[in-house]
Amino acid sequence: MTTTVKAPIGELLREWRDRRRLSQLALAISADISTRHLSFVETGRSRPSRDMVLRLGEHLDLPLRERNRLLLAAGYAPAYGESDIGAPEMTVIREAVRRLLAGHDPYPAAVVDRGWNLVDANLSLGVLTEGIAPSLLAGPVNVLRATLHPDGMAPRVLNLGEWRAHLLGRLRRQVEQTADAGLAELLEELRGYPCDDEVPELEIPGPGDIFVPLRYRHEDLELTFFSTVATFGTPLDVTVAELVIESFYPADPATAAFLRERVTG
């Protein structure tokens, strides 16, 4: 277990309540506790029960990692395990991920962890990683760094400004959701990468647009993709809860035909 805690439970609860823009009254009503009791917990005058800590974490919509941190701050053992992806008890997860990835061929798909580090991918992801500098593909591979770095995919992304804004927006929202210092550092690093394209502040669709596409130059071809994101629906383990499966689909017939021919060829 890698979860550490430095602040007392009351301080952590107050910080998360402020992040979620909730008053004491709103959180107390949602969690079905008295405002007076919540106030005493936040000021350190009262120690919450283990069940109350878990209830508050649920109603604050905290990631499992942060719920463990609240429990530790209150003097209780973590409730949620954090298994290594290679551990025997994770076999069923690894097999499920492999089936999902293999079933998505001939279209690219990848699995990343909470830090956007590559956990697994299917063979078709190679169409997007060809030409990336070897240093960016040395493990652990950070997919955001490999995408936006000038030695990565960036020179071949034809709508780099638009795609960059999309990825940075996702990461920014993740930082706001988790308050993860490592992700905040990654966000600042990525913001510092050069980009000659205009980076929109807001994702506003143009006429006929229904998603942000990835327009990618592969050799002499222009490939166009859209992506979907999936997570495990009922995780009770920190590692499982933080896995994200991103699947790319062809956004036009020419891209679909090329990907099918690439596999059969």
Side-chain angles (χ1 to χ4, degrees):
M1 182 68 61
T2 58
T3 302
T4 58
V5 61
K6 297 180 180 179
I9 177 65
E11 183 178 328
L12 287 177
L13 282 173
R14 188 165 56 251
E15 288 177 359
W16 279 113
R17 184 171 57 74
D18 290 343
R19 281 184 172 274
R20 298 297 188 255
R21 296 176 174 85
L22 291 172
S23 66
Q24 280 189 345
L25 177 60
L27 179 57
I29 292 174
S30 174
D32 194 25
I33 63 174
S34 72
T35 306
R36 177 184 176 88
H37 193 177
L38 178 58
S39 176
F40 279 16
V41 170
E42 288 192 356
T43 57
R45 296 176 63 185
S46 178
R47 183 192 181 207
S49 68
R50 185 176 185 273
D51 287 346
M52 178 175 289
V53 173
L54 289 171
R55 193 188 317 163
L56 290 170
E58 172 73 19
H59 288 276
L60 285 167
D61 192 26
L62 298 189
L64 300 189
R65 182 179 299 276
E66 299 306 321
R67 298 184 197 191
N68 277 347
R69 187 170 282 117
L70 284 185
L71 287 166
L72 287 170
Y76 302 109
Y80 304 97
E82 185 179 350
S83 306
D84 186 275
I85 192 65
E89 63 268 24
M90 296 287 278
T91 300
V92 65
I93 298 298
R94 293 194 303 273
E95 291 178 348
V97 166
R98 286 307 308 161
R99 285 194 293 270
L100 285 169
L101 294 175
H104 195 65
D105 275 322
Y107 308 142
V111 182
V112 299
D113 64 15
R114 66 192 296 264
W116 292 78
N117 298 306
L118 187 65
V119 174
D120 204 349
N122 64 4
L123 292 175
S124 296
L125 190 70
V127 73
L128 299 177
T129 59
E130 292 176 8
I132 293 179
S135 61
L136 292 172
L137 297 179
V141 179
N142 185 279
V143 297
L144 290 183
R145 190 176 289 119
T147 300
L148 299 179
H149 195 282
D151 294 330
M153 287 174 53
R156 289 172 294 282
V157 178
L158 300 176
N159 60 329
L160 180 59
E162 185 179 37
W163 192 247
R164 172 189 170 105
H166 167 68
L167 292 181
L168 294 185
R170 284 174 58 181
L171 181 56
R172 184 183 66 253
R173 291 187 289 273
Q174 187 181 359
V175 171
E176 293 171 353
Q177 174 70 18
T178 65
D180 186 282
L183 291 177
E185 291 177 3
L186 177 62
L187 178 60
E188 288 306 306
E189 175 190 337
L190 299 176
R191 282 172 171 166
Y193 289 172
C195 180
D196 294 333
D197 290 359
E198 180 181 356
V199 181
E201 293 186 7
L202 299 173
E203 293 177 353
I204 300 177
D209 289 345
I210 57 175
F211 51 75
V212 177
L214 170 62
R215 305 188 190 279
Y216 192 71
R217 185 179 71 252
H218 178 76
E219 298 176 350
D220 296 329
L221 300 174
E222 178 180 334
L223 306 178
T224 306
F225 300 90
F226 68 91
S227 69
T228 63
V229 174
T231 57
F232 284 88
T234 55
L236 293 175
D237 180 276
V238 173
T239 301
V240 176
E242 294 172 345
L243 291 178
V244 174
I245 304 166
E246 183 142 16
S247 304
F248 291 86
Y249 293 84
D252 56 46
T255 300
F258 168 77
L259 293 171
R260 289 194 297 267
E261 292 170 2
R262 182 174 181 271
V263 171
T264 58

